[in-house]
Amino acid sequence: MGHRHRLPAGHAVTGKPLEGWFQDGLALNPHGPALRILDRSWTYTEVDRTARSWAAALSARHGPPRSVAVLAAKTPEAYIGLLAALYAGATAVPLNPENPPARNGAVLRAAGCEAVVADPAGAAGLAEVIAGAAVHSVLAPEELPGALPSLRVTPNDAEAAGFVTPPRAPDDIAYTLFTSGSTGTPKGVPISHANVSSFLRSSLPRYGVRTDDCFSQVHETTFDLALADIFPAWAGGACVCVLSRLQALDPARWVRRYGLTVWHSTPSLARGLQRKRLLAPGSLAGLRQSVFAGEALMTDTARYWQRAAPDGVIDNIYGPTELTIACSAFRFDPAVPDAQYGATVPIGTPNDGMEAILLGADGETTSGLGELCLTGGQMFAGYLDPAQNEGRFLQRAGRRWYRTGDQVRADDAVGFVHLGRGDSQVKINGYRVEVGEVEAALREVSGADAATFAVDAPSGAVLAAYVLCDAEPDLKALVEQMATRLPAYMLPRYVWWRPEAPLNAHGKTDRNRLREEAAREVADRAQF
C-alpha cells in the first residue's frame, strides 16, 4: 500500500507568509482574545499592534534583521516576540532561557541571529548567550545587565504605524528550530513559509476552528508542537491559552476555569494522569477536540482520556520537525475494539499534499513494513548545516524523500502503525533526543568512554548511562557538568560507573548486554 496523497486539481500551495495566518484571525475576531497567560488576556488588535511596534524597533538601527532569537519561555515575549520576528521579515529562532547559555549561544550564532527578543529570564543571562554574535538590537522589558544597555531598543508606536513588513518569497524561512544531533551538535531545521502554509491548509479542516475556541498551550516554543496550537488557533481567530507545567498536570481544573475546548499534549502527560487515576469520567467535559503527538499514544490511555472527555474527539498526529510539525493524523474511534488497534493508536495517513513510501532493509520500496519516507509541501529543503543532510534523504522516481528513521506497518484499515525507531533517535517525554549527543556530552565531561541508552520505565522511556573507566568518578559532578551543556530533558535519569565494559565476540563493547543490564536495573528500581 503506497498511501499516496496528492493535492487536488487546481489546489496550489499558497505563498501566504506565516504571519498572514494570524492576520486572518485578526480579521475574524479583532476584539476577541488571541493570547491568555494566567489572568491576563491580549486581544488580536493588541497583539498585532504590539508585534508591529516590536518589529519596527528591531529594524530601526540596521534595517530588518535576517534572524531574530526569541529568548523567552511561556511569557508574552515568547508569543508576541515570535510574531514580531515574522512582521520584521526575519526568521524566528525560539530559544528557552532554561537551557544552558552555552547551548543557546551556539544555536543563536549558528542561526545568524542579529536581533533578540528576551523576557526577564532571558535578559538576565543574555551576555553569555550573545557573546561573539553579531547582535545589534535587543528588545527586553527591563534594563540589560553589564555592558549590554547600548543594544536595547524601545518600541515606538509612531514608527510602528508606518512600518511595512518586507516582502518574502514562499521559500523564505519562517522559523528555525534546533533538534538533537547524533554528533553532539544540534541540528538546525529551517522551515519555510510555504512549508507551514502546507501544514495549516491540511490541518485547519481537522480542527474546524471557531472564534470562541480556546486552545491549550502546554509546550515550550522551542518544541515545534507548540506551533500546532499557536497558528491553527490564530488562523481561526481563537485564543491560545498558555498553561504552566503545574497547570498542565491538572487539566480538569483548568479546562473548567479557562473554558478550554482544544487540548494538545504528549501522551506521557495523559498516561501519568491515568496511572494516578486523576481524571474522573466526564471531568474534561467541554473539550471538543484532544490532540496527542510526540510519541506513541497507548490505546488504553486514549480510552481513559475519552471517558474523561466524552463530548470530544481524539486525534493522534505524527511528524518529525523536518516535515513541519505533523504530517499524518488518525482519529481515534472508541467504538473500535482494542484488538483492531493493538497496543498503540495508529498514526494514520499522510496529510493532503504529502506522499509516503516504505523503504525495506534491502533499500528497496516495500508495501507492508519498513522505514517511513515522505515528500510533499511540508518537507523542509535541508538542514542549516548541509553536511547533516547526509543519509537523511532518498531519491526515488525522480523525487526527493525525507527518511524519518521510523519503522511503520501499513494497514489498509487504519493507515500507518508506528513500530519504533530504526536508529539511535528516541523520544523522551515527547522531546526528540539523539542518544549519540547525550553520549558525546558524557564522554566529554568524564574524559572516559561512555554508553547511553533509552530504556523503558513505568513513566515512559528514560535515559540511562554508563561511564566506563578504571577509577570511580564523581557521578554527581559529571551530571552537573552535563547540565551546562544539555537541556534538562536530555540529561540521563541514571548514570552508573563500570570499571570495564563487557566485550562481544569481535572485541568491541557489547552494547546489547549493557542495554539489557540497564533495563534490568531500571526495572528493579521501579519496584521500590
Side-chain angles (χ1 to χ4, degrees):
M1 181 176 65
H3 284 284
R4 295 176 177 270
H5 286 240
R6 289 188 170 84
L7 290 171
H11 183 103
V13 173
T14 177
K16 183 190 299 186
L18 183 51
E19 73 276 8
W21 295 94
F22 174 85
Q23 291 163 1
D24 288 349
L26 173 66
L28 287 168
N29 197 16
H31 305 298
L35 178 66
R36 177 172 182 166
I37 302 176
L38 299 176
D39 291 326
R40 171 74 161 94
S41 293
W42 292 259
T43 68
Y44 272 84
T45 299
E46 287 176 310
V47 170
D48 177 69
R49 184 175 62 246
T50 304
R52 288 185 185 282
S53 67
W54 290 6
L58 294 171
S59 306
R61 289 181 176 173
H62 300 278
R66 292 177 302 167
S67 296
V68 174
V70 184
L71 185 59
K74 291 191 175 180
T75 57
E77 290 78 15
Y79 304 96
I80 302 176
L82 177 63
L83 189 61
L86 296 169
Y87 275 169
T91 297
V93 183
L95 299 176
N96 189 339
E98 294 181 358
N99 287 348
R103 183 183 177 88
N104 279 338
V107 166
L108 180 144
R109 290 188 295 274
C113 294
E114 298 172 329
V116 178
V117 175
D119 66 8
L126 189 60
E128 185 176 353
V129 173
I130 68 172
V135 171
H136 58 64
S137 300
V138 175
L139 193 147
E142 54 191 37
E143 292 300 322
L144 298 175
L148 299 180
S150 63
L151 296 178
R152 189 166 184 258
V153 295
T154 304
N156 183 303
D157 286 341
E159 291 177 355
F163 183 78
V164 177
T165 298
R168 265 90 33 86
D171 289 340
D172 287 345
I173 303 305
Y175 64 82
T176 298
L177 295 177
F178 283 75
T179 67
S180 180
S182 59
T183 63
T185 301
K187 290 180 178 180
V189 183
I191 299 297
S192 72
H193 291 275
N195 292 149
V196 190
S197 284
S198 294
F199 164 75
L200 289 169
R201 289 180 72 93
S202 176
S203 299
L204 285 173
R206 176 172 291 273
Y207 285 98
V209 185
R210 307 182 308 224
T211 56
D212 61 350
D213 271 329
C214 189
F215 280 58
S216 72
Q217 216 289 285
V218 171
H219 309 294
E220 298 288 350
T221 54
T222 49
F223 193 9
D224 66 337
L225 291 179
L227 303 180
D229 308 321
I230 297 168
F231 282 98
W234 281 354
C239 182
V240 173
C241 186
V242 180
L243 299 181
S244 69
R245 292 185 180 95
L246 286 176
Q247 287 176 317
L249 294 174
D250 189 6
R253 177 182 180 184
W254 299 105
V255 164
R256 292 192 304 271
R257 171 80 178 273
Y258 291 150
L260 298 178
T261 58
V262 180
W263 177 271
H264 185 190
S265 72
T266 61
S268 285
L269 188 149
R271 194 152 184 85
L273 296 169
Q274 179 188 10
R275 285 196 308 273
K276 297 175 183 178
R277 298 185 177 90
L278 294 179
L279 294 179
S283 60
L284 300 178
L287 285 182
R288 65 175 189 82
Q289 184 161 33
S290 299
V291 182
F292 294 99
E295 57 198 345
L297 173 62
M298 304 300 291
T299 302
D300 66 326
T301 300
R303 293 198 185 282
Y304 177 80
W305 189 273
Q306 186 77 76
R307 286 192 290 271
D311 305 325
V313 297
I314 293 176
D315 284 333
N316 187 36
I317 63 175
Y318 158 86
T321 304
E322 292 85 347
L323 296 174
T324 313
I325 305 172
C327 58
S328 78
F330 181 83
R331 177 147 297 171
F332 175 74
D333 183 352
V336 172
D338 285 354
Q340 185 169 330
Y341 281 147
T344 62
V345 177
I347 60 173
T349 55
N351 293 351
D352 290 342
M354 297 297 290
E355 297 183 42
I357 57 174
L358 302 185
L359 193 66
D362 58 359
E364 299 299 322
T365 53
T366 184
S367 59
L369 186 152
E371 180 187 358
L372 183 60
C373 305
L374 293 108
T375 192
Q378 292 181 221
M379 185 180 76
F380 81 141
Y383 294 103
L384 199 61
D385 178 0
Q388 294 174 328
N389 291 334
E390 185 176 356
R392 300 314 310 166
F393 292 94
L394 175 74
Q395 292 291 334
R396 279 289 187 279
R399 303 186 67 186
R400 192 174 187 234
W401 304 74
Y402 179 73
R403 299 185 60 172
T404 67
D406 288 315
Q407 297 294 308
V408 302
R409 173 172 52 82
D411 184 293
D412 288 326
V414 298
F416 292 122
V417 177
H418 192 273
L419 303 177
R421 294 293 302 173
D423 54 22
S424 65
Q425 201 176 88
V426 297
K427 288 288 183 74
I428 303 295
N429 291 328
Y431 287 91
R432 197 172 72 178
V433 174
E434 284 278 5
V435 175
E437 183 178 3
V438 181
E439 194 166 282
L442 184 54
R443 286 195 180 105
E444 184 178 350
V445 300
S446 67
D449 197 9
T452 305
F453 308 100
V455 298
D456 290 331
S459 60
V462 298
L463 293 174
Y466 291 97
V467 179
L468 306 169
C469 57
D470 293 334
E472 182 174 3
D474 184 341
L475 296 177
K476 181 180 179 182
L478 290 182
V479 173
E480 290 173 350
Q481 291 178 61
M482 291 181 72
T484 67
R485 290 167 164 78
L486 301 174
Y489 67 85
M490 292 178 66
L491 296 177
R493 175 81 62 84
Y494 305 101
V495 181
W496 301 300
W497 165 67
R498 277 190 61 132
E500 59 184 11
L503 302 179
N504 62 21
H506 301 288
K508 298 180 180 180
T509 297
D510 191 336
R511 295 181 64 88
N512 288 334
R513 184 173 161 188
L514 281 178
R515 182 183 287 105
E516 292 168 359
E517 180 179 305
R520 286 195 301 271
E521 183 70 22
V522 169
D524 289 343
R525 288 169 183 257
Q527 296 177 8
F528 298 97

